[in-house]
């Protein structure tokens, strides 16, 4: 056992003395370096990403659910409006008419959303 560290064996294993200097360009260093995900801090991401794939898919699912909830609330709101409006006039709202109003409010909201997105695209696109 060399006292100055040459040819030492640690726990019976040979080890390599790394005399080579690791030379990486800043671009390569950026690609191999990792950091924790900014959202969950459980998983690691490469330096060009801020959040991991798991968190991104969670955020997408959350956004999709919120969008669906908005549609649901809108449909209920239009349904309530139509029912209130029709109920004020005789002969009132029968159960069949009530569910027909539900279907109508779904169509109103869907058509409104399509028109709204079409208008927004035509204003933003050109
Ligand atoms: Zn994450």
């Amino acid at each position: 056992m060399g006292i100055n560290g040459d040819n030492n064996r640690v726990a019976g294993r040979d080890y390599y003395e790394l005399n080579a200097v690791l030379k990486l360009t800043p671009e390569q260093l950026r690609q191999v370096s990792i950091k924790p995900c900014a959202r969950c801090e459980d998983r690691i991401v490469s330096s060009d990403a801020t959040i991991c794939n798991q968190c991104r898919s969670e955020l997408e699912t959350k956004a999709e659910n919120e969008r669906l909830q908005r549609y649901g609330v809108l449909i209920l709101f239009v349904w309530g409006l139509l029912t209130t409006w029709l109920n004020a006039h005789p002969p009132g709202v029968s159960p069949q008419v009530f569910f027909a109003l539900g279907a109508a409010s779904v169509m109103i909201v869907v058509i409104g959303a399509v028109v709204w997105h079409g208008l927004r695209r035509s204003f933003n696109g050109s």
Side-chain angles (χ1 to χ4, degrees):
M1 189 166 181
I3 206 74
N4 60 359
D6 292 338
N7 299 313
N8 267 350
R9 284 166 180 259
V10 178
R13 278 176 234 258
D14 288 325
Y15 70 96
Y16 296 100
E17 289 189 28
L18 187 62
N19 294 321
V21 178
L22 195 60
K23 278 187 184 147
L24 291 175
T25 63
E27 175 66 21
Q28 286 169 327
L29 199 61
R30 206 178 56 76
Q31 283 173 350
V32 297
S33 62
I34 53 175
K35 61 185 179 183
C37 165
R39 186 165 173 265
C40 62
E41 296 188 335
D42 285 336
R43 292 166 279 265
I44 51 172
V45 293
S46 60
S47 58
D48 51 347
T50 48
I51 61 173
C52 64
N53 289 338
Q54 181 82 21
C55 285
R56 194 180 320 127
S57 81
E58 276 175 18
L59 286 178
E60 280 169 8
T61 310
K62 202 164 145 240
E64 182 70 18
N65 285 345
E66 280 168 5
R67 225 163 54 110
L68 285 178
Q69 279 168 12
R70 274 203 295 273
Y71 278 115
V73 167
L74 261 182
I75 286 170
L76 286 180
F77 178 71
V78 173
W79 197 348
L81 270 187
L82 288 177
T83 308
T84 309
W85 178 66
L86 261 193
N87 207 26
H89 305 283
V93 179
S94 67
Q96 288 89 350
V97 173
F98 179 71
F99 287 109
L101 287 180
S105 59
V106 169
M107 282 201 293
I108 288 173
V109 169
V110 167
I111 290 171
V114 168
V115 168
W116 169 253
H117 285 293
L119 282 179
R120 247 187 18 174
R121 195 169 303 140
S122 65
F123 281 128
N124 291 341
S126 58

